[in-house]
Amino acid sequence: GTLLGTLSVASGVALTATAAWLITRASEHPPVLMLMVAIVGVRTFGLARPVLRYAERLVSHDAALRLLAERRAGVYDALVPLVPGRLGRRRGDLLTSVVDDVDSLVDDRLRVRQPVWTAVGVGLLATLVAGLLTPIAGLVVAAVVAVGALGGVEARRGVAAAEREFVAARAALSDRVEQTLGSARDLVLWGAAGPALDALDEAGDRLSRAVRRSARSVALGRALPLLAGGAGFLVMAAVVPADAVSPAMRALLVMLPIALVDPLAPLPDAGALAVRTAAARRRLDELAAMQPAVADPERPASADLTHPEAASERLTAGWGDRDVLVDLDLTLPPGGRVGLVGASGTGKSTYAAVLLRFLDPTGGRQTLAGEDLRALALDDVRRATGLVDDDPHLFASTLVENVRLARPDATDHQVRAALDAAHLGPWVDDLPDGLHTALGEGSAHVSGGERARIAVARALLADAPVLVLDEPTAHLDAETAQRVADEVLAPGRGRSIVWITHGTVGLDRMDEVVRLGETRAPVPG
């Protein structure tokens, strides 16, 4: 692709120079046969430029898109084991950063390396041709190429200085936008839309300032190839002796610096983009080099996980270097129900992460069906233990596929039954395409409460023997929260329940309530 691009741009340069020779020579009224070679050359270069450009785009983009597909799959495979144990419970900034970084790898091939190598190839060829005609012309062309290349250097320097602030501001804005849109209805309901929009404006202003600083350097870099081409035109006309070459050849040399603006013009943008692609590559390499917080044992133990008992023995766990859950003793018998309450930071969600083996204990042990979780295969643990997260994610797909994620072999009828059980039936009926309505980015709006109930529907569809519900009713009104709790906690389900909450809904149905950070509390009612 780079070779085809170089030939295409070189054809453009040759077209301009040959046309200047042809016009000047024709003004001398020579026999037409003396112009035939130049005429054929102009036609050849004129046709070759678009044909070679098309072939270059076809080859380059085919290779780049295949690279993109491979890297996306590779990054996904590397990323999944790191969340949340190594990377924490991040979403907007992590998602934006990783998606942009993977796309940057394609930009590195198409918009950084290829323009640079094309400019190098065409610049060397033009310098060689001009130097063979007359050494002084070769020096002028080399100077034009050097000044044009400085445009790329300047753009890279300026963008590098502003890049750290730009990346941080972009990630903060993306995270803020996602949070605001995800809770838009709630913000309006509670009269908090104004402050939320003000915070968005402030994040946008920080990003704009970083962009402006970067843009000034890129603008200066873009000006240098244009100035070099114009100055080269004047210098070439002044320094090439009239008796050194023929008038037609002198016209060719004079137009050569102008023609070189074409391959030199992309260098400033390539220099600016090189900073971001290099930073993206570093971040992806750092992700790939990270060791997951948990790993499958070499020889997984076998256990009957149909109705397992989950037991914590002096369990200690935390995120990073800080333990937030310390010396917890807790037994969840088959079919039992335990409520976890307590202030933020006392380890409720950390306990859920240990049960699903997103984290391994730093002290004590957690067992399932009598086996230490670290001795069981990760897939076995997560098939036996389901999670309703307090901030469930919706994928850019249909409603039915978002719910069927929990059990890929489920039928549409089974998915609809799970949604009805989560008290989403009337909402589904009002959707334009029912179960097959597209959700996620750019599609039907889903409120925080509806998203929470979709997560409950996933859990009901999966029907795991152990179910951890982390703030499942946090985004629901009191009446809906009670109905969802009644459905999930209905007697006769047979599953074990860990009910994590800041409120009181559902606690009256628990066998035991544990207030983390304090002693155990009696069951309400």
Side-chain angles (χ1 to χ4, degrees):
T2 301
L3 177 61
L4 289 170
T6 300
L7 292 175
S8 173
V9 174
S11 296
V13 173
L15 175 63
T16 301
T18 306
W21 186 97
L22 179 61
I23 293 171
T24 306
R25 186 75 177 95
S27 68
E28 299 172 351
H29 303 289
V32 69
L33 290 177
M34 297 186 67
L35 302 177
M36 288 306 297
V37 173
I39 292 171
V40 172
V42 168
R43 289 177 176 175
T44 301
F45 295 136
L47 292 172
R49 183 182 183 186
V51 171
L52 290 169
R53 176 60 59 87
Y54 178 79
E56 174 266 318
R57 294 294 172 88
L58 198 63
V59 171
S60 298
H61 282 74
D62 178 67
L65 292 174
R66 276 191 275 113
L67 170 68
L68 179 61
E70 293 169 2
R71 289 309 298 264
R72 279 178 174 169
V75 169
Y76 182 83
D77 289 342
L79 190 63
V80 168
L82 301 177
V83 180
R86 281 286 178 260
L87 299 177
R89 301 182 64 191
R90 299 161 56 196
R91 176 165 298 163
D93 60 336
L94 178 64
L95 181 63
T96 300
S97 176
V98 170
V99 169
D100 288 348
D101 287 349
V102 174
D103 288 346
S104 291
L105 299 181
V106 177
D107 288 338
D108 182 55
R109 296 293 182 93
L110 291 178
R111 298 170 58 195
V112 177
R113 299 186 188 187
Q114 194 162 316
V116 168
W117 284 112
T118 296
V120 169
V122 174
L124 289 176
L125 184 60
T127 301
L128 177 63
V129 171
L132 290 175
L133 293 174
T134 174
I136 189 66
L139 292 175
V140 173
V141 170
V144 170
V145 173
V147 174
L150 282 178
V153 174
E154 168 58 24
R156 179 165 185 161
R157 183 202 62 77
V159 171
E163 178 66 9
R164 182 175 299 179
E165 181 183 356
F166 171 81
V167 171
R170 183 185 62 182
L173 178 61
S174 175
D175 198 33
R176 179 72 66 178
V177 167
E178 183 178 357
Q179 291 177 14
T180 303
L181 290 179
S183 56
R185 289 185 181 179
D186 296 332
L187 290 171
V188 173
L189 178 65
W190 293 101
L197 293 175
D198 290 341
L200 269 179
D201 287 340
E202 184 180 350
D205 289 341
R206 286 197 298 271
L207 180 60
S208 296
R209 287 193 294 272
V211 169
R212 283 195 295 270
R213 277 193 290 273
S214 176
R216 282 194 289 268
S217 296
V218 176
L220 176 58
R222 288 173 177 168
L224 287 177
L226 297 174
L227 293 174
F233 172 87
L234 297 175
V235 172
M236 189 76 78
V239 302
V240 175
D243 57 352
V245 291
S246 66
M249 196 61 71
R250 192 163 183 263
L252 181 151
L253 291 173
V254 168
M255 290 301 298
L256 194 55
I258 296 294
L260 286 173
V261 172
D262 187 35
L264 296 175
L267 292 183
D269 290 325
L273 193 58
V275 177
R276 290 166 189 163
T277 58
R281 187 178 298 278
R282 284 195 301 272
R283 287 191 293 267
L284 292 176
D285 288 344
E286 288 171 2
L287 280 179
M290 292 180 70
Q291 293 298 316
V294 296
D296 270 318
E298 291 185 7
R299 295 183 178 180
S302 59
D304 183 6
L305 301 179
T306 307
H307 296 287
E309 177 185 84
S312 307
E313 303 171 8
R314 300 188 64 82
L315 178 65
T316 299
W319 306 88
D321 298 328
R322 187 173 71 90
D323 291 332
V324 294
L325 187 67
V326 180
D327 290 339
L328 176 67
D329 291 308
L330 179 63
T331 300
L332 179 66
R337 300 172 180 190
V338 173
L340 286 185
V341 297
S344 297
T346 54
K348 301 185 299 297
S349 295
T350 303
Y351 177 68
V354 171
L355 280 184
L356 280 103
R357 214 173 160 228
F358 293 152
L359 291 174
D360 279 339
T362 57
R365 65 197 295 257
Q366 176 67 44
T367 64
L368 191 64
E371 292 286 348
D372 192 303
L373 279 187
R374 287 169 287 197
L376 297 172
L378 290 171
D379 286 346
D380 291 343
V381 172
R382 293 166 189 171
R383 270 193 293 267
T385 308
L387 173 68
V388 176
D389 191 70
D390 61 343
D391 188 19
H393 183 68
L394 288 185
F395 294 90
S397 184
T398 60
L399 171 62
V400 68
E401 294 303 332
N402 264 284
V403 178
R404 190 152 38 209
L405 176 71
R407 202 174 94 205
D409 61 346
T411 64
D412 285 5
H413 178 74
Q414 291 169 323
V415 171
R416 178 58 196 251
L419 289 166
D420 288 340
H423 296 277
L424 279 172
W427 177 72
V428 175
D429 292 336
D430 288 339
L431 292 176
D433 297 314
L435 286 176
H436 299 282
T437 300
L439 305 181
E441 184 178 355
S443 301
H445 177 77
V446 180
S447 69
E450 290 156 354
R451 190 169 53 162
R453 280 178 282 172
I454 289 173
V456 171
R458 284 175 180 162
L460 295 175
L461 184 65
D463 199 24
V466 179
L467 182 58
V468 181
L469 298 110
D470 191 352
E471 298 286 354
T473 61
H475 301 283
L476 307 179
D477 61 78
E479 182 181 354
T480 304
Q482 190 60 57
R483 290 204 307 268
V484 170
D486 291 342
E487 177 63 35
V488 175
L489 302 174
R493 296 288 187 186
R495 67 171 68 95
S496 305
I497 297 287
V498 177
W499 185 270
I500 299 173
T501 182
H502 279 99
T504 59
V505 174
L507 293 182
D508 57 330
R509 295 175 177 268
M510 297 296 108
D511 301 327
E512 182 180 14
V513 174
V514 176
R515 185 175 297 277
L516 295 182
E518 301 180 14
T519 57
R520 298 196 179 184
V523 178

